[in-house]
Amino acid sequence: MTFAISKTASQIAPFRVMKILAQAKALQAQGRDIIHMEIGEPDFASPSCVHQAAQNAAEQGLTHYTATLGLPALREKLAQFYDGFYHAKVNAEQLVITPGSSSALQLVLTAILNPGEQVLMADPTYPCNRQFVHLLHGEVYSVPVTADSQYQLTLDHLKQHWNPQIKAVMVASPANPTGTLIEQAELLKMAQFLAQRDTYFIVDEIYQGLVYERPAESILAHQNLPQNVVVINSFSKFFGMTGWRLGWCVVPEHLIDVLDRLGQNLYLSAPTLSQYGALAVLESDALTELEQRRQIFQQRRNRLYAAMQSAGFTLKTLPQGAFYLYWDVSEYTQDSERFCAALLQQTGVAITPGTDFGKEAGKSHVRLAYTNDRIEEAVQRIQGFVEQYR
Amino acid sequence: MTFAISKTASQIAPFRVMKILAQAKALQAQGRDIIHMEIGEPDFASPSCVHQAAQNAAEQGLTHYTATLGLPALREKLAQFYDGFYHAKVNAEQLVITPGSSSALQLVLTAILNPGEQVLMADPTYPCNRQFVHLLHGEVYSVPVTADSQYQLTLDHLKQHWNPQIKAVMVASPANPTGTLIEQAELLKMAQFLAQRDTYFIVDEIYQGLVYERPAESILAHQNLPQNVVVINSFSKFFGMTGWRLGWCVVPEHLIDVLDRLGQNLYLSAPTLSQYGALAVLESDALTELEQRRQIFQQRRNRLYAAMQSAGFTLKTLPQGAFYLYWDVSEYTQDSERFCAALLQQTGVAITPGTDFGKEAGKSHVRLAYTNDRIEEAVQRIQGFVEQYR
């Protein structure tokens, strides 16, 4: 008897970071001292105001399903947040609350992509983006990008690669795994270029707010934005609510109804107490706490960058947001998975191989997440480790 | 400029119950007295031990992502629960925690179904099942069932309809919208028949525990169960944790790895505090409280059945579980949507048209959910309403 797995599912790649994490935890259980720089998750717990708000809601018995599009009060408050924080006028109707930004990405791609159609994205990129397209039987049109464009897509890339099979282009600013940004003027030109070609532009802003030496910015602040722009966001990163599984997307009006119908079927509603918690994290007291956390991440970025430079490592980009440093290790290896496995085994420093994020340069790049405060110690260990490759 | 919606997404039907709910709420806002019997959700809030456990976890800072397959402690405890409650030996490894049973259904179907392959299910059935298959570009093989088989599939149906294109058969016991069961001996024969034909058997037990005048039963209690059986379950119904968005599936070993990879991409992990809450709801104190709730639902079922009979209505089945009564209204109408809309408008009683659940008999059936305690009053209003159809 053979009970088969579907062809598409059998080809879905695992997160390599999860394998590194499992190995790191196994070593830790053996008593080894591990420095975790593999995980894309702030080391802080969620702000205590979130816990309090969730508890209050539970005590009032507010534990039932919400509307699929989200608690009306949360959609309203998030619209006000866009106004105050990003100077962006967003209609609450266009805000769709989802169980994490993973669901938002899946929902939006499911709403627009037919089998065989292409989605253009950078290599490197957030790994799930490719998998969502595969699951919908679409095709990933992968454009290799380098440090010359801060590992980001540009208008020139779109001009060079756009074709009529492309239904959507996906970018992230700040990006995972690179922490780099796309300037707003460039983003707007890309949106307009694609709008003229009936192509959606999906802008992942889940690390927005976590930007350094510049204000937080959203493409939604532009007036007369074309109707092809979809913004993905999350309460996980800037707001520090990872385990609460809450995200959202901001969509043009013509997508609201189809997202509602898809959401009803795919997940019914986002977690209720997380939505009440999110109401609290949008209050000014919480935002003050989040600003302090942002400053800590900025200091860590500066410390990591300085330590890496002092260690004699070549860094091609200065990350401007998120909590990642993408490091070209081609002078040491063309096998980043083996490099990361050996680094963990020999030194106890856990980092992520670039192969999670792309084929092209993934084998010669790694990602360091500064979600751990033992930065200088980690760099020292790495410095000792790479001696064997010199 | 036209920014198109995908063909499949444009064909996804909305939940008609959500439209009824919205209309009922609008009437309520106008000051009308509404009796809600449309929603498939217990009217109780989640047990207070769940709130306490979630709060304790939050205070300990346990708000980060969990492993994709779920908190190891929860998987272990759920395995013990299967032993104590169902006398079923389940390996914790086979238990996959998901953000709601919607995700479990999506995950399992994504793991097994290729485009063009068929999934056989009853008409009527839980509406999402059809939509999940459509989204995967599979085909729904719908078998009309009647009160003769308690609106359930039987081994005879499978013998009559099975063909090599069928990759999986889906059943639910107790079922939504009918509240009827499939006897365990029949379920086992169906599983074995399908195993001999390399066909998966997906058994939805999300209403298990909520059964009346008989013990809770799981197909997993059978020894030597074939490797084609997948069980779907949820903390929403029996455990009363709807808004916490937590479900699970029990899968044969060869599916664990692919579900892990799919889950990593589709949702990362289920809500963390919901998982800590679920640990508490599996304790014996909570189970005592849930047993009291089950008795309340049983009393309500008895009251609803008796009131409907006293009102002179013909009832073809006695629901044995869940909190639904599926009512054949063919002597009054062949347009259940219009019937339900008029009933709501004229009497304030909100119920669900059968068209949410199936094509065949959906137009002449409606679903009453006894998730509201004003049962006799509702039946009186319905009795007055149908006078105009006699």
Side-chain angles (χ1 to χ4, degrees):
Chain A
M1 293 185 300
T2 54
F3 303 112
I5 292 170
S6 80
K7 187 159 170 268
T8 307
S10 69
Q11 291 168 352
I12 295 295
F15 279 17
R16 287 164 189 89
V17 66
M18 299 308 278
K19 195 175 158 191
I20 286 281
L21 174 63
Q23 288 167 344
K25 284 188 174 172
L27 289 174
Q28 218 161 4
Q30 291 168 23
R32 285 283 299 277
D33 175 36
I34 303 297
I35 304 181
H36 289 284
M37 300 185 80
E38 76 280 44
I39 312 268
E41 177 172 33
D43 46 349
F44 307 109
S46 45
S48 55
C49 66
V50 175
H51 313 172
Q52 191 59 51
Q55 187 190 332
N56 291 347
E59 279 169 10
Q60 292 171 55
L62 300 172
T63 60
H64 294 270
Y65 298 126
T66 70
T68 294
L69 293 173
L71 271 183
L74 179 57
R75 296 168 76 197
E76 281 295 341
K77 193 151 195 166
L78 205 43
Q80 291 162 18
F81 171 78
Y82 267 104
D83 193 7
F85 195 79
Y86 289 115
H87 309 294
K89 302 292 175 200
V90 173
N91 187 333
E93 293 293 309
Q94 295 172 259
L95 284 162
V96 177
I97 308 295
T98 59
S101 56
S102 301
S103 282
L105 285 163
Q106 190 199 2
L107 212 59
V108 167
L109 286 171
T110 304
I112 64 176
L113 197 65
N114 291 303
E117 290 179 340
Q118 298 178 356
V119 178
L120 187 150
M121 60 188 79
D123 174 351
T125 191
Y126 178 60
C128 298
N129 292 348
R130 288 192 299 269
Q131 309 301 349
F132 287 128
V133 173
H134 292 318
L135 288 174
L136 291 163
H137 305 289
E139 287 173 24
V140 174
Y141 187 118
S142 211
V143 176
V145 291
T146 66
D148 292 346
S149 67
Q150 299 277 304
Y151 299 106
Q152 288 280 14
L153 290 175
T154 63
L155 178 62
D156 282 345
H157 285 123
L158 300 189
K159 285 180 177 168
Q160 193 184 335
H161 293 282
W162 187 86
N163 75 67
Q165 282 306 300
I166 292 174
K167 185 64 164 283
V169 171
M170 300 179 86
V171 297
S173 178
N176 178 4
T178 63
T180 60
L181 304 177
I182 305 177
E183 295 298 335
Q184 287 296 317
E186 184 82 2
L187 267 184
L188 185 61
K189 279 186 235 164
M190 293 165 82
Q192 287 163 340
F193 174 88
L194 295 172
Q196 286 158 9
R197 286 155 186 81
D198 296 344
T199 305
Y200 283 98
F201 191 40
I202 301 172
V203 183
D204 174 343
E205 297 186 347
I206 77 166
Y207 291 98
Q208 263 305 342
L210 283 180
V211 289
Y212 312 123
E213 290 143 11
R214 53 191 299 154
E217 290 174 302
S218 170
I219 191 173
L220 296 167
H222 295 287
Q223 289 178 340
N224 304 317
L225 202 63
Q227 293 295 301
N228 62 333
V229 175
V230 172
V231 167
I232 306 292
N233 213 318
S234 168
F235 285 98
S236 289
K237 311 299 181 179
F238 174 66
F239 296 101
M241 289 177 60
T242 46
W244 298 77
R245 312 309 301 120
L246 199 66
W248 74 87
C249 51
V250 191
V251 302
E253 268 182 33
H254 73 279
L255 287 182
I256 298 168
D257 172 65
V258 67
L259 294 192
D260 192 13
R261 285 185 283 119
L262 286 169
Q264 285 170 15
N265 285 284
L266 290 172
Y267 56 77
L268 284 178
S269 62
T272 302
L273 295 184
S274 303
Q275 296 188 62
Y276 283 102
L279 278 170
V281 88
L282 294 170
E283 295 283 352
S284 58
D285 284 1
L287 294 174
T288 304
E289 186 178 347
L290 296 175
E291 168 57 19
Q292 290 161 357
R293 291 183 174 193
R294 190 197 64 79
Q295 289 174 16
I296 292 170
F297 279 118
Q298 179 164 333
Q299 289 157 10
R300 285 185 186 170
R301 181 207 60 168
N302 293 344
R303 284 166 53 199
L304 178 60
Y305 195 82
M308 294 286 282
Q309 283 199 311
S310 297
F313 299 139
T314 308
L315 297 174
K316 294 184 168 173
T317 53
L318 173 68
Q320 298 165 289
F323 31 65
Y324 304 119
L325 179 71
Y326 191 57
W327 180 27
D328 181 345
V329 290
S330 57
E331 59 183 297
Y332 311 117
T333 186
Q334 285 298 321
D335 185 348
S336 59
E337 292 187 28
R338 200 168 158 184
F339 182 87
C340 291
L343 177 70
L344 174 61
Q345 198 62 48
Q346 292 176 34
T347 74
V349 177
I351 63 172
T352 307
T355 45
D356 249 2
F357 310 102
K359 279 184 188 172
E360 198 68 20
K363 290 181 180 171
S364 59
H365 285 75
V366 296
R367 184 190 77 174
L368 286 72
Y370 39 100
T371 49
N372 189 300
D373 209 43
R374 296 167 64 189
I375 288 170
E376 289 75 12
E377 191 185 347
V379 174
Q380 268 182 1
R381 294 192 194 181
I382 296 171
Q383 191 176 13
F385 171 78
V386 298
E387 282 305 318
Q388 64 194 290
Y389 291 93
R390 288 185 197 264
Chain B
M1 293 186 300
T2 54
F3 303 112
I5 292 171
S6 78
K7 186 161 172 266
T8 308
S10 69
Q11 291 168 352
I12 294 295
F15 279 16
R16 287 162 190 90
V17 66
M18 299 308 278
K19 194 175 159 191
I20 288 280
L21 174 63
Q23 287 167 346
K25 283 189 173 171
L27 289 173
Q28 217 160 6
Q30 290 166 25
R32 287 282 299 278
D33 174 35
I34 302 297
I35 304 181
H36 289 283
M37 300 185 80
E38 76 280 45
I39 312 269
E41 178 173 34
D43 47 349
F44 307 109
S46 44
S48 56
C49 65
V50 175
H51 312 171
Q52 191 60 50
Q55 186 190 332
N56 291 349
E59 279 170 10
Q60 292 172 55
L62 300 172
T63 60
H64 294 270
Y65 298 126
T66 70
T68 294
L69 293 173
L71 271 182
L74 179 56
R75 297 168 76 197
E76 282 295 341
K77 194 151 195 167
L78 205 44
Q80 291 162 18
F81 171 78
Y82 267 105
D83 193 7
F85 196 80
Y86 289 116
H87 308 296
K89 302 291 176 201
V90 172
N91 187 334
E93 293 293 311
Q94 295 172 259
L95 283 162
V96 177
I97 308 295
T98 58
S101 57
S102 301
S103 282
L105 286 163
Q106 190 199 1
L107 213 59
V108 167
L109 286 171
T110 303
I112 64 176
L113 198 65
N114 291 303
E117 290 178 342
Q118 298 178 357
V119 179
L120 186 150
M121 59 188 81
D123 173 351
T125 191
Y126 179 59
C128 298
N129 292 348
R130 288 193 299 269
Q131 308 302 348
F132 287 128
V133 173
H134 291 319
L135 288 173
L136 291 163
H137 305 287
E139 286 173 26
V140 174
Y141 188 117
S142 212
V143 176
V145 291
T146 66
D148 292 345
S149 66
Q150 299 277 305
Y151 299 107
Q152 288 279 15
L153 290 174
T154 62
L155 178 63
D156 282 344
H157 284 123
L158 300 189
K159 286 181 176 167
Q160 192 182 339
H161 292 282
W162 186 85
N163 75 67
Q165 282 305 300
I166 292 174
K167 186 64 165 283
V169 170
M170 300 179 85
V171 297
S173 179
N176 178 4
T178 62
T180 59
L181 304 176
I182 305 177
E183 294 298 336
Q184 288 296 317
E186 184 82 2
L187 267 184
L188 186 61
K189 279 185 234 162
M190 293 164 82
Q192 287 163 342
F193 174 87
L194 294 172
Q196 286 158 9
R197 286 154 185 82
D198 295 344
T199 304
Y200 284 99
F201 191 39
I202 301 172
V203 183
D204 175 343
E205 296 186 349
I206 77 166
Y207 292 98
Q208 263 305 342
L210 283 180
V211 289
Y212 311 124
E213 291 144 9
R214 53 191 299 154
E217 291 174 302
S218 170
I219 190 173
L220 296 167
H222 295 288
Q223 289 179 340
N224 305 317
L225 202 63
Q227 294 295 303
N228 62 333
V229 174
V230 172
V231 167
I232 307 291
N233 213 319
S234 168
F235 285 98
S236 289
K237 311 299 181 179
F238 173 66
F239 295 101
M241 289 177 61
T242 48
W244 299 76
R245 312 308 303 117
L246 199 66
W248 75 87
C249 50
V250 190
V251 302
E253 267 182 32
H254 72 279
L255 287 183
I256 298 169
D257 173 65
V258 65
L259 294 192
D260 192 14
R261 286 185 282 118
L262 286 169
Q264 285 171 15
N265 284 284
L266 289 172
Y267 56 76
L268 285 178
S269 62
T272 302
L273 295 184
S274 304
Q275 296 187 63
Y276 284 103
L279 278 171
V281 89
L282 294 170
E283 295 283 351
S284 58
D285 284 1
L287 294 175
T288 304
E289 186 178 348
L290 296 175
E291 168 58 18
Q292 289 160 359
R293 292 183 174 192
R294 189 197 65 78
Q295 289 174 16
I296 292 170
F297 279 118
Q298 178 165 334
Q299 289 157 10
R300 285 185 187 170
R301 182 207 61 167
N302 293 345
R303 286 165 52 201
L304 178 59
Y305 196 82
M308 295 285 283
Q309 285 199 312
S310 297
F313 298 139
T314 308
L315 297 174
K316 294 183 169 174
T317 53
L318 172 68
Q320 297 165 287
F323 31 65
Y324 304 119
L325 179 71
Y326 191 57
W327 179 28
D328 181 344
V329 290
S330 57
E331 59 184 298
Y332 311 118
T333 186
Q334 285 297 323
D335 185 349
S336 60
E337 291 187 28
R338 201 168 157 184
F339 181 88
C340 291
L343 177 70
L344 174 62
Q345 198 62 50
Q346 291 175 36
T347 74
V349 177
I351 63 172
T352 306
T355 47
D356 251 1
F357 310 102
K359 280 184 187 172
E360 198 70 21
K363 291 182 180 171
S364 59
H365 285 75
V366 295
R367 184 190 77 175
L368 286 73
Y370 40 99
T371 49
N372 188 299
D373 208 44
R374 296 167 64 189
I375 288 170
E376 289 76 12
E377 192 184 349
V379 175
Q380 270 184 0
R381 293 191 196 182
I382 296 170
Q383 190 176 14
F385 171 78
V386 298
E387 283 304 318
Q388 64 194 291
Y389 291 92
R390 289 185 196 265

